[in-house]
Amino acid sequence: MDRRQRRTRQAIYRAFEELVADNHYASITVAQIIECAGIGRSTFYAHFATKDALLDQMCAEMFSHVFEGVETDPHTHERLQEPTLEGMLTHLLCHLRDNHAGICGKLLAEGEPHFTGHFCELLAAFFDPRLPERSNWVPRDLMRSLLVSGFCQSVAWWYGQRFATSPDELAHWYVRAMGWQTKGARTPQGAADGDRPPCGGGGLG
Amino acid sequence: MDRRQRRTRQAIYRAFEELVADNHYASITVAQIIECAGIGRSTFYAHFATKDALLDQMCAEMFSHVFEGVETDPHTHERLQEPTLEGMLTHLLCHLRDNHAGICGKLLAEGEPHFTGHFCELLAAFFDPRLPERSNWVPRDLMRSLLVSGFCQSVAWWYGQRFATSPDELAHWYVRAMGWQTKGARTPQGAADGDRPPCGGGGLG
DNA sequence: CAGATACCGAACGCTGCGTTCGATAGAATG
DNA sequence: CATTCTATCGAACGCAGCGTTCGGTATCTG
């Protein structure tokens, strides 16, 4: 790809992220993006048909890497023998925070439907083969969408806290809050679990 | 209030509901509402400052009645001695289905942020004093927003099924899926509960 | 009937969108 | 270096939707 193309593309992405961080997505105009990116109007449209298309492509790039190595330990990157759901979610959260924290958290927190839709689709595919046993007593697709939306909500909440919580703690809270039965590991008598003090709400803003 | 005012106001509401049922909320224009309601442009703006304002006012009216009698039996309307959460949710779902099914379900299913925001606020206030015990181990506001978004999701799912499920069944599934510990009632050996067959996904469309 | 009030609807200015097109600058090739 | 291709620029255009204005008409109230 031409160097010029890469330059402008990057400039657009950068500007977009910056604007998303400070504005409601819906209120961002193409003129703003152009201005902020320092490019010409027709150039923008040479790359993206529309603001939503820009978001779509950005999602595609973001999400293409999101589940890479999700079955390895997020710290040591060793492949886990029997990866737990909580472990994989932790890895996923690490990835999100380290690479896409702002835009991802912000758009989920805003409830921006376009982005949320993409993200949920991705999560649904991930959760589907891993649904807990109790889904036999609840319609499978309902169960799935509850778990998915819960995870989105957790990330949105995390963003609201400016990522003050550690990924593994958040993953643990999520799993616990959704009433997920972790098999064996993380039982209440384990040090990693039962000793966590009751937490006082965690409100920041 | 002047009869003329009531007439136009009703016409607007009617048109709005009709349009919401058939279109993405965001794509509905004021011109469409006017056309569909059969009123003049300036008349619309004499009643509502904007399309979103219309939605807001509609929400306010809808929600002002939503929790009325929520602690009574939805069928007999007898006041319950010790209303269970599941029972109250059932009542709420009955109310939603019988009065606001289309618009409420549709907007939640679309993920329309404005409406969803209002609805979540309402639910948050309802759930807050009723959070389960495990919220001591999970930040209270996180727990609350998980339960709230889960309930929204359930209604959206319900809408997707065209309300094929009965309110009490949906309430039961929700409570169960969210891992809620119902105190005493509805234990697995009870006829009302343990005998429900595993359900096969419930997909309609 | 008289006065007030609500509705009508054409017209206006504004903002944002997506497109067009000739001119310029940068990259690639021989 | 000369040539050719391609990306960018930016002004201008037409379009759609918004919210407002205002003179005229219908409807309510007393």
Side-chain angles (χ1 to χ4, degrees), chain A residues 111 113 134 136-143 145-146 149-150 153-154 157 161 173 176-178 194 196 198-199 201, chain B residues 111 113 134 136-143 145-146 149-150 153-154 157 161 170 173 176-178 194 196 198-199 201:
Chain A
R134 70 184 181 287
N136 291 338
W137 300 90
V138 173
R140 198 180 167 74
D141 54 347
L142 175 59
M143 188 72 225
S145 76
L146 288 175
S149 80
Q153 211 60 31
S154 301
W157 176 85
Q161 311 294 312
W173 284 340
R176 184 149 200 159
M178 299 301 287
R196 287 181 197 259
C199 49
Chain B
R134 68 185 183 287
N136 291 337
W137 300 90
V138 173
R140 199 179 165 76
D141 55 346
L142 174 60
M143 188 73 226
S145 75
L146 287 175
S149 79
Q153 210 61 31
S154 300
W157 177 86
Q161 311 294 312
L170 182 62
W173 285 340
R176 182 147 201 161
M178 300 301 288
R196 286 181 198 259
C199 49

Side-chain angles (χ1 to χ4, degrees), chain B residues 74-85:
Chain B
H75 308 299
T76 68
H77 279 273
E78 282 175 16
R79 183 161 197 85
L80 300 170
Q81 285 296 37
E82 201 182 328
T84 63
L85 182 88

Side-chain angles (χ1 to χ4, degrees), chain B residues 16-167:
Chain B
F16 187 57
E17 289 198 35
E18 187 179 324
L19 288 168
V20 165
D22 298 343
N23 304 275
H24 244 66
Y25 173 79
S27 76
I28 297 173
T29 69
V30 174
Q32 278 179 295
I33 299 173
I34 287 164
E35 152 90 34
C36 181
I39 61 167
R41 184 165 189 79
S42 53
T43 305
F44 175 87
Y45 284 106
H47 284 259
F48 305 99
T50 196
K51 187 182 68 168
D52 283 347
L54 165 56
L55 179 57
D56 288 343
Q57 292 199 28
M58 201 171 218
C59 284
E61 288 196 19
M62 270 173 59
F63 295 158
S64 66
H65 304 295
V66 153
F67 284 117
E68 265 173 26
V70 81
E71 296 191 352
T72 65
D73 183 295
H75 308 299
T76 68
H77 279 273
E78 282 175 16
R79 183 161 197 85
L80 300 170
Q81 285 296 37
E82 201 182 328
T84 63
L85 182 88
E86 192 177 323
M88 290 189 282
L89 293 180
T90 300
H91 200 119
L92 175 54
L93 289 172
C94 282
H95 190 107
L96 286 181
R97 185 192 54 184
D98 297 341
N99 297 302
H100 315 292
I103 196 156
C104 188
K106 180 74 191 308
L107 291 175
L108 287 177
E110 261 180 40
E112 203 292 310
H114 226 83
F115 180 85
T116 307
H118 282 299
F119 194 60
C120 285
E121 219 170 291
L122 191 79
L123 288 174
F126 173 73
F127 277 128
D128 196 65
R130 298 178 170 89
L131 297 183
E133 297 80 12
R134 68 185 183 287
S135 10
N136 291 337
W137 300 90
V138 173
R140 199 179 165 76
D141 55 346
L142 174 60
M143 188 73 226
R144 195 197 321 114
S145 75
L146 287 175
L147 293 170
V148 163
S149 79
F151 192 78
C152 287
Q153 210 61 31
S154 300
V155 176
W157 177 86
W158 203 26
Y159 171 83
Q161 311 294 312
R162 311 212 151 211
F163 307 100
T165 319
S166 71

